[in-house]
Amino acid sequence: MAGSTFGSVFRIATWGESHGKAVGVTIDGCPAGLPLCEADIQEYLDRRKPGQSRFTTARKEGDEVEILSGVFEGQTTGTPITMVVWNRDQRSKDYSAIMNVYRPGHADYCFDQKYGFRDYRGGGRSSARETIARVAAGAVACKLLSHYGIAVTAYTKSIGIFEVDPERFDLAERDRNSLYMPDSVAAAEAAEYLERLIAEQDSAGGVVECVIHGVPAGVGEPVFDKLDARLAAAVMSIGAVKGFEIGDGFAAARACGSQNNDAFRVDESGNVVKETNHSGGILGGMSDGSDILLRAAFKPTPSIAKEQHTINRDGENVEISIHGRHDPVVVPRAVVVVEAMAALTVADLLLMNRCAKV
Amino acid sequence: MAGSTFGSVFRIATWGESHGKAVGVTIDGCPAGLPLCEADIQEYLDRRKPGQSRFTTARKEGDEVEILSGVFEGQTTGTPITMVVWNRDQRSKDYSAIMNVYRPGHADYCFDQKYGFRDYRGGGRSSARETIARVAAGAVACKLLSHYGIAVTAYTKSIGIFEVDPERFDLAERDRNSLYMPDSVAAAEAAEYLERLIAEQDSAGGVVECVIHGVPAGVGEPVFDKLDARLAAAVMSIGAVKGFEIGDGFAAARACGSQNNDAFRVDESGNVVKETNHSGGILGGMSDGSDILLRAAFKPTPSIAKEQHTINRDGENVEISIHGRHDPVVVPRAVVVVEAMAALTVADLLLMNRCAKV
Amino acid sequence: MAGSTFGSVFRIATWGESHGKAVGVTIDGCPAGLPLCEADIQEYLDRRKPGQSRFTTARKEGDEVEILSGVFEGQTTGTPITMVVWNRDQRSKDYSAIMNVYRPGHADYCFDQKYGFRDYRGGGRSSARETIARVAAGAVACKLLSHYGIAVTAYTKSIGIFEVDPERFDLAERDRNSLYMPDSVAAAEAAEYLERLIAEQDSAGGVVECVIHGVPAGVGEPVFDKLDARLAAAVMSIGAVKGFEIGDGFAAARACGSQNNDAFRVDESGNVVKETNHSGGILGGMSDGSDILLRAAFKPTPSIAKEQHTINRDGENVEISIHGRHDPVVVPRAVVVVEAMAALTVADLLLMNRCAKV
Amino acid sequence: MAGSTFGSVFRIATWGESHGKAVGVTIDGCPAGLPLCEADIQEYLDRRKPGQSRFTTARKEGDEVEILSGVFEGQTTGTPITMVVWNRDQRSKDYSAIMNVYRPGHADYCFDQKYGFRDYRGGGRSSARETIARVAAGAVACKLLSHYGIAVTAYTKSIGIFEVDPERFDLAERDRNSLYMPDSVAAAEAAEYLERLIAEQDSAGGVVECVIHGVPAGVGEPVFDKLDARLAAAVMSIGAVKGFEIGDGFAAARACGSQNNDAFRVDESGNVVKETNHSGGILGGMSDGSDILLRAAFKPTPSIAKEQHTINRDGENVEISIHGRHDPVVVPRAVVVVEAMAALTVADLLLMNRCAKV
């Protein structure tokens, strides 16, 4: 219950610190009979790997996954699947300077208040390396979802004020630029912005958007375990996320009902369709059969070289400049983490839905 | 697991349909020794009651709470507290027209897809009456929190595009206008806007903001049960909420790190303070000791008298005009629901935090 | 989490004290589409009702169930089902004598140690009336199981040393005697024994046996949520149960492997059968397709008129004689409670099993 | 939810198969600040190691534990603790004969029915190696409990019909004989009995008894999460356990109330004591301050060389003789597993109890 467990039916437990021996995850509740191998997972981990461009940290993390249990003769057995990624490039000394100082925008102070002390090496449990376990488990969830025709796709929607133009939206472009933006013009502008921030020893935030295609109507539970509530929890649990939207999100609050309601129609093939999708594919907490659309707002990377005010463990006012290898923006590497969390949530509620009817 | 259970330590289970006999809630996990009586709860229920102005439905719901268990000689006993509110003013006939038609923006279609049929009377389980149970349980959570010096306060931040001006913010004003806006000028503008929408048979959305004061640093669990993740799930589980923010929310995604980081300082009394509160009181998923600030975006009421396209159960395209007693905006009555959900979440994580250290 | 919640998929939350307004239960997770009415539940409640013979207390409890939610047009809707039984015959004064004294064999002392005080009226939350909620929920579980061809049947196996003789076993006889024993000879002997104990102001214990027929092979989860582990928790959670067995139970510990193993065979119709059933229908925590057989040992009723040593709240040694209406043996009324707990467990794991395979 | 997760506050998730790469466990919820190192755990693992006498299998399993996370500078950090034991001595070929045959008394048939196929190597997930993870986690729970003055001690009570004589009971003797029996005479008799069974290619069962000393009164939750119910689930979830008792257990069912009730007294030092302990330290599901006493009945090892009837995957009747390295009795090695499960349960409920009062 200390918070590293996620999901009800498709349940995962993650573990590991930035500078411990490894990070890993156990999935308790993946159905038996799903074809699965390490390459299925590695493909997702490679997308969150650092060192892929000058906007992500230069650390070579390797991050090769090893499956330790739950797969036999190429299929999941129904018993727990454990995956581990060993920590190799640790360089502990880089972090000794922050041992007694609370970095602004980081969890250092809160950890000490909660537990009395903390693993100060590289953020410990709240390091971005923690997301490796999410992505590994999410890759399994994606494989399971794809078995049922469901696809989860995220991309960078904006960095700073530079946003994808819907007119220029081209998903294929996403994998062509290091910012994971499906719009080459916006990507170029954002890159220029990041260069400027690097020069200024500063950092940027941004928005990730995610589309979940193929979820049948009726997934999600009325009341507290609404599909949108569970997606919100999943995505807001990613470090640095400060906002979450489904469909039109905050814009819906400014619209009027006649604009915001999506009309149902039966099309010529007899399928139920919606004329618009302001709801983002969810009504009353249940999927309505159209694409599920969500957005997550990421704050700027808190580790910046610019000097900042802060305090130390002894309660003294001090100044801090955080040097070392830090992404000037976390958004591009977070894209696959958002996919992972969305997939884990949908997989869980999809299985849960098997119990809806006699 | 069908979704009407919320919380881990301070756990609640709610039940009841709009046109069933009653709605209610059981709290399993309220500590023993808390003074509690029905008036404590009624005070909160009265704030969500309809019929208080022309912008809320004219139904007289009464909504008197009855405590059935868990309180003895004026104190909670540690055993389950059950509270019930009987449904009195049901008028079932009003709703018979929608029995076979799927209202746009409502859960009707999803319910039928999920369960094969639905209780079509007044929204059944997804009626706004479901929030009575949340508010009753939330009132108990608020009482518990106040015992520890924690106060939860929400208000209407905006209706449509009419927003509280920070310069004019006056919390006392909140309870003086029927829109629960802490700014009389914005409230007047919003009221005028609502009049116009009523005339046009349309409806509005808006934003609720909530401040949680007095939470000690360290509440919330790293990784999945982050305080912000759990608050997001809690608030997004309220019907009609489409967006959620902590602190600066989506604005943080446009800021740069040196703007968004909150500097720590020790003040002259030796207290740890933050120079700003962009984080909204949460860092790394744990409270940082400053005020927790969150916002929820509510979509416009989907029930409108304006004619809309939709389909019926037989898969035919039809038109629908929804008459009857519906709020042109749900936001004012939702204010206390947001408080309730925030309080339930904080109470749960505050208790959980008792197990953080040996 | 305070312990009044049971089950994962088919989850129940119970509440209510002996001398409060009512006792009740909410089922969150009953699949939609199950025909259900109050008579289905009343039939089970009537079997635990007191006042049916001189071996059960003379209180007239009525115990009529009312369904408050979750059933519409005669079917479960998939949303929470709440059932309530009002407390009518309370006679609070009977219990005032025990307010400050800890009854031996009762939870009084533990309640005060845990919570600082207790609802001392008639046992409060640990009264036998608490089982009403279990039986009501169990009746719904039985209805669900019968839909899948599963039947749960319990009976009194022994009272004191008087035990059903397997040679004379006749299930039809169970409902003909007030002790629920499927053997008229053993029932007569046990009745005589109870008369003697009543004269001596003493009480008896006994054993309930339960057979679950029709569970397909594979229900139950390997490792911690084994079917037998979950049945043990379910049955041991009934007040007064001190022992639990599956199949041969403790006798298996004295047998050797060649005696205890059940040989598998394919019979002439091609069905998999077992030549014996020492395992009690469970292997490796999963049902093996044969009848599931369990037993629960109930201690003697602790409330006896005989004088006993004890202490009071002030820490003084005192004597106590408990007068009032108490069953000299709880076993006959507990038979239906064991059925209920077994049914709730099997229903939960049967639904969970829907997620075992892709 | 697939059953490899145990506990609410002190929660563990185990994983691993007999012939996979490793077995392991993650503890999510161990409080911060507990001194912990690998030697603390190894001590417990060494007690379940095979190859210690001729009554346990000759495999050399080594079973060295490695802590991968959650401990920093010799203390638990409050974040997940992962421990792993690598599988070294696998000899997969030994098991190929049973690939298509269902061993009587084993879970083979049930696994195939549940999941469609199984990891047939050495029992896969239901191998006794699965208990390594329980013991590793249990060692941490024991360390935590000892911090609060609580000690968990188990021993072999009987093997076959050969039982420890209370008159000769000597706990120090337990660690002197390979059967973990605290009575040298009974141990010698049991050893002779086992020699006879080995000669006859047969196996034995037995009973483990466990004493938990130092639990303060009030631990355990009324109703479903009773301390005894949770202990029953914990212990019955160990493979091969068929019966469970608290205190007098089944004997209580034959006693009368005046014999079975434990009188409370205040002794000369002013402490509350009980004159007897028939209750086994639990009343109404809560600890009563005296020693908690439980017993578990283990069935005989199902793997025997004697020829047995069974069936194969193709539904044909066949004969089977199981050769290889199998303990003729599992009880001695199970002693530490019972301690582990008891400790995990008490640790969980002890922490949960921190939330009982305001």
Side-chain angles (χ1 to χ4, degrees):
Chain A
M1 197 167 73
S4 289
T5 306
F6 180 84
S8 295
V9 178
F10 193 98
R11 178 183 288 169
I12 70 170
T14 71
W15 53 272
E17 288 83 36
S18 172
H19 287 65
K21 290 191 176 175
V23 292
V25 60
T26 297
I27 305 173
D28 188 19
C30 182
L34 181 73
L36 190 73
C37 64
E38 280 153 355
D40 291 326
I41 295 142
Q42 197 59 50
E43 180 193 333
Y44 281 78
L45 284 178
D46 288 348
R47 288 174 55 202
R48 81 162 282 293
K49 254 204 304 210
Q52 297 172 307
S53 83
R54 61 180 315 254
F55 304 129
T56 58
T57 148
R59 282 171 297 180
K60 290 251 160 45
E61 296 189 10
D63 293 349
E64 271 166 52
V65 74
E66 195 179 344
I67 298 178
L68 298 185
S69 69
V71 177
F72 181 59
E73 299 184 339
Q75 284 188 83
T76 58
T77 60
T79 61
I81 301 168
T82 289
M83 295 173 286
V84 69
V85 170
W86 300 95
N87 291 334
R88 301 204 194 276
D89 179 29
Q90 304 177 0
R91 295 203 223 167
S92 284
K93 285 173 205 159
D94 290 356
Y95 294 96
S96 56
I98 56 161
M99 184 170 147
N100 290 310
V101 181
Y102 299 132
R103 293 168 297 166
H106 278 279
D108 303 343
Y109 172 70
C110 303
F111 265 104
D112 272 12
Q113 291 294 306
K114 185 179 190 75
Y115 297 117
F117 76 115
R118 73 184 196 280
D119 180 347
Y120 47 76
R121 301 165 305 164
R125 182 70 182 137
S126 67
S127 156
R129 279 193 74 73
E130 173 260 312
T131 60
I132 287 176
R134 299 174 184 244
V135 172
V140 180
C142 284
K143 190 86 195 276
L144 179 69
L145 292 179
S146 75
H147 185 84
Y148 299 107
I150 299 170
V152 182
T153 310
Y155 42 81
T156 302
K157 171 87 171 177
S158 65
I159 287 179
I161 58 165
F162 302 97
E163 193 169 329
V164 170
D165 182 335
E167 307 276 304
R168 286 192 306 256
F169 184 96
D170 173 14
L171 188 58
E173 175 60 28
R174 179 191 77 163
D175 299 326
R176 280 187 223 121
N177 68 70
S178 60
L179 297 177
Y180 271 94
M181 281 184 116
D183 170 352
S184 59
V185 178
E189 291 167 346
E192 205 183 299
Y193 170 61
L194 289 174
E195 293 287 359
R196 208 158 61 232
L197 288 172
I198 291 172
E200 293 167 4
Q201 304 191 309
D202 214 329
S203 65
V207 173
V208 172
E209 190 164 74
C210 182
V211 183
I212 311 167
H213 178 76
V215 181
V219 174
E221 303 297 320
V223 192
F224 300 117
D225 286 335
K226 287 187 163 84
L227 178 50
D228 31 3
R230 293 282 301 267
L231 283 167
V235 168
M236 293 286 305
S237 79
I238 303 171
V241 175
K242 304 301 286 183
F244 177 84
E245 294 184 318
I246 282 285
D248 285 6
F250 278 83
R254 294 185 294 271
C256 56
S258 59
Q259 297 163 328
N260 187 68
N261 281 349
D262 302 310
F264 286 106
R265 286 282 97 169
V266 175
D267 69 13
E268 49 267 36
S269 329
N271 297 319
V272 173
V273 294
K274 283 161 51 195
E275 294 182 349
T276 50
N277 189 16
H278 299 292
S279 76
I282 301 179
L283 285 169
M286 293 168 275
S287 55
D288 65 16
S290 34
D291 279 359
I292 293 165
L293 192 79
L294 63 89
R295 270 175 305 282
F298 286 80
K299 70 176 187 182
T301 314
S303 294
I304 55 175
K306 238 179 200 170
E307 197 177 82
Q308 300 178 82
H309 291 338
T310 194
I311 57 171
N312 62 21
R313 290 201 71 176
D314 300 324
E316 296 161 334
N317 288 321
V318 297
E319 308 308 301
I320 188 172
S321 296
I322 303 168
H323 295 286
R325 304 157 305 178
H326 301 288
D327 295 356
V329 66
V330 299
V331 171
R333 290 178 62 198
V335 165
V336 71
V337 184
V338 171
E339 282 183 13
M341 293 312 299
L344 287 165
T345 307
V346 174
D348 194 32
L349 288 165
L350 188 75
L351 289 173
M352 208 179 288
N353 205 35
R354 291 188 181 178
C355 299
K357 280 184 278 199
V358 165
Chain B
M1 199 166 72
S4 289
T5 307
F6 181 84
S8 295
V9 177
F10 194 98
R11 179 182 288 166
I12 70 170
T14 69
W15 54 271
E17 287 84 36
S18 172
H19 288 65
K21 291 190 176 174
V23 292
V25 60
T26 298
I27 305 174
D28 187 18
C30 183
L34 182 74
L36 189 74
C37 65
E38 279 152 356
D40 292 324
I41 295 141
Q42 197 60 49
E43 179 194 334
Y44 281 77
L45 285 177
D46 287 349
R47 287 174 55 204
R48 79 160 284 294
K49 253 203 307 211
Q52 297 172 305
S53 83
R54 62 179 315 255
F55 303 126
T56 57
T57 146
R59 282 170 297 181
K60 289 254 163 46
E61 295 190 11
D63 293 348
E64 272 167 53
V65 72
E66 194 179 346
I67 297 177
L68 299 184
S69 68
V71 177
F72 180 59
E73 299 184 340
Q75 285 187 83
T76 58
T77 60
T79 61
I81 302 167
T82 288
M83 295 172 286
V84 69
V85 170
W86 300 95
N87 292 332
R88 302 204 193 277
D89 178 28
Q90 303 179 358
R91 295 205 222 165
S92 283
K93 285 174 204 157
D94 291 355
Y95 293 95
S96 56
I98 58 159
M99 182 171 151
N100 291 310
V101 181
Y102 298 132
R103 293 168 298 165
H106 278 279
D108 303 344
Y109 172 69
C110 302
F111 265 105
D112 272 13
Q113 290 294 307
K114 185 178 190 75
Y115 298 118
F117 75 113
R118 74 183 195 280
D119 180 347
Y120 48 76
R121 300 165 305 164
R125 182 70 182 138
S126 67
S127 155
R129 278 193 74 72
E130 173 260 313
T131 60
I132 287 175
R134 299 174 184 244
V135 172
V140 180
C142 284
K143 189 86 194 275
L144 180 68
L145 292 179
S146 74
H147 185 84
Y148 299 107
I150 299 170
V152 182
T153 312
Y155 42 81
T156 301
K157 170 87 171 176
S158 65
I159 287 178
I161 59 165
F162 303 97
E163 193 168 329
V164 170
D165 183 334
E167 308 275 304
R168 285 191 307 255
F169 184 97
D170 174 13
L171 188 58
E173 174 61 28
R174 180 191 77 162
D175 299 326
R176 278 186 225 121
N177 68 71
S178 62
L179 298 178
Y180 271 95
M181 281 183 118
D183 169 352
S184 60
V185 178
E189 290 167 346
E192 204 184 301
Y193 170 62
L194 289 173
E195 294 286 0
R196 209 159 59 233
L197 288 172
I198 291 171
E200 292 167 6
Q201 303 191 310
D202 213 330
S203 64
V207 173
V208 173
E209 191 164 72
C210 181
V211 182
I212 312 167
H213 178 75
V215 180
V219 174
E221 303 296 320
V223 191
F224 300 117
D225 286 336
K226 286 186 163 84
L227 178 49
D228 31 2
R230 293 283 299 269
L231 284 168
V235 169
M236 292 287 304
S237 79
I238 304 171
V241 175
K242 304 301 285 183
F244 177 84
E245 293 183 320
I246 282 285
D248 284 6
F250 278 84
R254 293 185 294 272
C256 53
S258 59
Q259 298 165 329
N260 187 68
N261 281 349
D262 301 312
F264 287 106
R265 286 281 97 172
V266 175
D267 69 12
E268 50 265 34
S269 330
N271 297 320
V272 173
V273 294
K274 282 161 50 195
E275 294 183 347
T276 51
N277 189 16
H278 299 294
S279 75
I282 301 179
L283 286 169
M286 293 169 276
S287 55
D288 65 17
S290 33
D291 279 359
I292 293 165
L293 192 79
L294 63 87
R295 272 175 303 282
F298 286 80
K299 70 176 187 181
T301 313
S303 293
I304 54 175
K306 236 181 201 169
E307 196 176 83
Q308 301 176 82
H309 292 336
T310 195
I311 58 171
N312 63 20
R313 289 202 70 175
D314 302 323
E316 297 161 331
N317 289 320
V318 297
E319 308 308 303
I320 188 172
S321 297
I322 303 167
H323 295 287
R325 306 156 303 178
H326 300 288
D327 294 355
V329 65
V330 300
V331 170
R333 290 178 62 198
V335 164
V336 71
V337 184
V338 171
E339 281 183 14
M341 293 311 299
L344 287 165
T345 306
V346 174
D348 195 30
L349 288 166
L350 188 75
L351 290 173
M352 207 178 292
N353 204 37
R354 292 187 181 180
C355 299
K357 279 184 280 199
V358 163
Chain C
M1 199 166 71
S4 289
T5 307
F6 181 86
S8 296
V9 178
F10 193 98
R11 179 182 288 167
I12 70 170
T14 69
W15 52 272
E17 288 82 36
S18 172
H19 288 65
K21 290 191 176 173
V23 291
V25 60
T26 298
I27 304 173
D28 187 18
C30 183
L34 181 74
L36 190 73
C37 65
E38 280 153 354
D40 292 324
I41 294 141
Q42 198 59 49
E43 180 194 332
Y44 280 78
L45 285 177
D46 287 349
R47 287 174 53 204
R48 80 160 283 294
K49 252 202 308 209
Q52 297 173 306
S53 82
R54 62 179 317 251
F55 304 127
T56 57
T57 148
R59 282 171 296 183
K60 288 252 164 45
E61 296 190 10
D63 294 347
E64 270 167 53
V65 73
E66 195 179 345
I67 297 177
L68 298 184
S69 69
V71 177
F72 180 59
E73 299 184 339
Q75 285 186 84
T76 58
T77 61
T79 62
I81 302 166
T82 288
M83 296 173 285
V84 69
V85 169
W86 300 96
N87 291 334
R88 303 209 192 274
D89 178 27
Q90 303 178 358
R91 293 205 225 165
S92 283
K93 285 173 204 159
D94 290 356
Y95 294 95
S96 56
I98 57 159
M99 184 171 150
N100 290 311
V101 181
Y102 298 133
R103 293 168 296 165
H106 277 279
D108 303 344
Y109 172 70
C110 303
F111 265 105
D112 271 12
Q113 290 294 307
K114 186 179 190 77
Y115 297 118
F117 76 113
R118 74 184 194 280
D119 180 347
Y120 48 76
R121 301 166 304 164
R125 182 67 182 140
S126 67
S127 156
R129 278 192 74 73
E130 172 260 312
T131 60
I132 287 175
R134 299 175 184 243
V135 171
V140 180
C142 284
K143 189 86 194 273
L144 180 68
L145 292 179
S146 75
H147 185 84
Y148 299 107
I150 299 170
V152 181
T153 311
Y155 42 82
T156 301
K157 171 87 170 175
S158 64
I159 288 179
I161 59 164
F162 303 96
E163 192 168 328
V164 170
D165 181 336
E167 308 275 304
R168 286 191 306 255
F169 184 97
D170 173 13
L171 188 58
E173 174 60 28
R174 178 190 78 164
D175 299 326
R176 277 185 226 122
N177 68 72
S178 61
L179 298 178
Y180 271 96
M181 280 184 118
D183 170 352
S184 59
V185 177
E189 290 167 345
E192 206 184 300
Y193 170 61
L194 290 173
E195 294 287 1
R196 209 159 59 232
L197 289 171
I198 291 170
E200 294 168 3
Q201 304 191 308
D202 213 329
S203 64
V207 173
V208 172
E209 191 164 74
C210 180
V211 182
I212 312 167
H213 178 76
V215 180
V219 173
E221 303 296 320
V223 192
F224 299 117
D225 286 337
K226 287 188 163 82
L227 178 49
D228 30 3
R230 293 283 299 269
L231 284 168
V235 168
M236 292 286 306
S237 80
I238 304 170
V241 175
K242 303 301 285 184
F244 177 82
E245 295 184 316
I246 282 284
D248 285 5
F250 278 84
R254 292 185 294 271
C256 56
S258 60
Q259 297 164 329
N260 188 68
N261 282 349
D262 301 312
F264 287 107
R265 289 279 97 172
V266 176
D267 69 12
E268 51 265 34
S269 330
N271 297 320
V272 173
V273 293
K274 281 162 50 197
E275 293 182 349
T276 50
N277 190 17
H278 298 293
S279 76
I282 300 179
L283 285 169
M286 294 169 274
S287 55
D288 65 17
S290 33
D291 279 0
I292 293 166
L293 191 79
L294 63 87
R295 272 176 303 282
F298 286 79
K299 71 176 186 182
T301 314
S303 295
I304 54 175
K306 238 182 200 168
E307 197 177 79
Q308 302 177 81
H309 291 337
T310 194
I311 58 172
N312 64 20
R313 290 202 70 176
D314 301 323
E316 297 161 332
N317 289 320
V318 297
E319 308 307 304
I320 188 172
S321 297
I322 304 167
H323 295 286
R325 305 157 304 178
H326 301 288
D327 293 355
V329 66
V330 300
V331 171
R333 290 176 63 198
V335 164
V336 72
V337 183
V338 171
E339 282 182 15
M341 293 311 299
L344 287 165
T345 306
V346 173
D348 194 30
L349 288 165
L350 188 76
L351 289 172
M352 206 178 291
N353 205 36
R354 291 187 182 180
C355 298
K357 280 184 278 197
V358 164
Chain D
M1 198 167 70
S4 289
T5 306
F6 180 86
S8 295
V9 178
F10 193 97
R11 178 182 289 168
I12 70 170
T14 70
W15 52 272
E17 288 82 36
S18 171
H19 288 65
K21 291 189 177 177
V23 292
V25 60
T26 297
I27 304 173
D28 188 20
C30 182
L34 181 72
L36 191 73
C37 65
E38 280 153 356
D40 292 325
I41 294 140
Q42 197 61 49
E43 181 194 333
Y44 280 78
L45 285 177
D46 288 349
R47 288 173 54 201
R48 78 161 284 293
K49 252 205 302 212
Q52 297 172 305
S53 82
R54 61 181 316 254
F55 304 128
T56 58
T57 148
R59 282 172 296 181
K60 289 250 160 49
E61 296 191 9
D63 294 350
E64 271 167 51
V65 73
E66 196 179 344
I67 298 178
L68 298 184
S69 69
V71 177
F72 180 59
E73 298 183 339
Q75 286 187 82
T76 58
T77 60
T79 61
I81 301 167
T82 288
M83 295 172 286
V84 69
V85 170
W86 300 95
N87 291 333
R88 301 205 195 276
D89 178 28
Q90 302 178 1
R91 295 205 224 164
S92 283
K93 284 171 203 159
D94 291 354
Y95 295 95
S96 58
I98 57 160
M99 184 171 148
N100 291 310
V101 180
Y102 299 132
R103 291 168 298 165
H106 277 279
D108 303 343
Y109 172 70
C110 303
F111 265 104
D112 272 12
Q113 291 293 307
K114 184 178 191 76
Y115 297 117
F117 75 114
R118 75 183 195 280
D119 181 346
Y120 48 76
R121 302 166 305 165
R125 182 70 182 139
S126 67
S127 156
R129 278 193 75 73
E130 172 260 312
T131 60
I132 287 176
R134 299 174 183 243
V135 172
V140 180
C142 284
K143 189 86 193 275
L144 180 68
L145 292 180
S146 74
H147 186 84
Y148 299 107
I150 299 170
V152 182
T153 312
Y155 42 81
T156 302
K157 170 87 169 175
S158 64
I159 288 179
I161 59 164
F162 302 97
E163 194 169 329
V164 170
D165 182 336
E167 307 275 305
R168 285 191 305 256
F169 185 97
D170 174 14
L171 189 58
E173 174 60 29
R174 179 191 77 164
D175 299 325
R176 280 187 223 122
N177 68 71
S178 61
L179 297 177
Y180 271 95
M181 280 184 118
D183 170 352
S184 59
V185 178
E189 290 168 345
E192 205 183 300
Y193 170 61
L194 290 173
E195 294 287 359
R196 209 160 58 233
L197 289 171
I198 291 171
E200 292 168 4
Q201 305 193 308
D202 213 330
S203 65
V207 172
V208 172
E209 191 164 73
C210 182
V211 182
I212 312 168
H213 178 76
V215 181
V219 173
E221 303 297 320
V223 192
F224 299 118
D225 287 336
K226 288 187 162 85
L227 178 49
D228 32 1
R230 293 283 299 270
L231 284 168
V235 169
M236 293 287 304
S237 80
I238 304 171
V241 176
K242 304 301 288 183
F244 177 84
E245 294 184 317
I246 282 284
D248 285 6
F250 278 85
R254 293 184 294 271
C256 56
S258 60
Q259 297 164 327
N260 187 69
N261 281 350
D262 302 311
F264 287 107
R265 288 279 99 169
V266 175
D267 69 13
E268 50 266 34
S269 328
N271 297 320
V272 172
V273 293
K274 282 161 51 195
E275 294 183 349
T276 50
N277 189 17
H278 299 293
S279 76
I282 301 178
L283 285 170
M286 293 169 275
S287 55
D288 64 17
S290 35
D291 280 359
I292 293 164
L293 191 80
L294 63 87
R295 271 176 303 282
F298 286 80
K299 71 176 186 181
T301 314
S303 293
I304 54 175
K306 238 180 200 170
E307 197 176 83
Q308 302 177 82
H309 292 336
T310 194
I311 58 171
N312 62 21
R313 290 202 70 175
D314 301 324
E316 296 160 334
N317 288 321
V318 295
E319 308 308 303
I320 188 171
S321 297
I322 303 168
H323 295 286
R325 303 158 305 177
H326 301 289
D327 294 355
V329 65
V330 299
V331 170
R333 291 178 62 197
V335 165
V336 71
V337 184
V338 170
E339 282 183 14
M341 294 310 301
L344 287 165
T345 306
V346 174
D348 194 31
L349 289 165
L350 188 75
L351 289 172
M352 207 179 288
N353 204 37
R354 292 187 181 179
C355 298
K357 280 184 278 198
V358 164

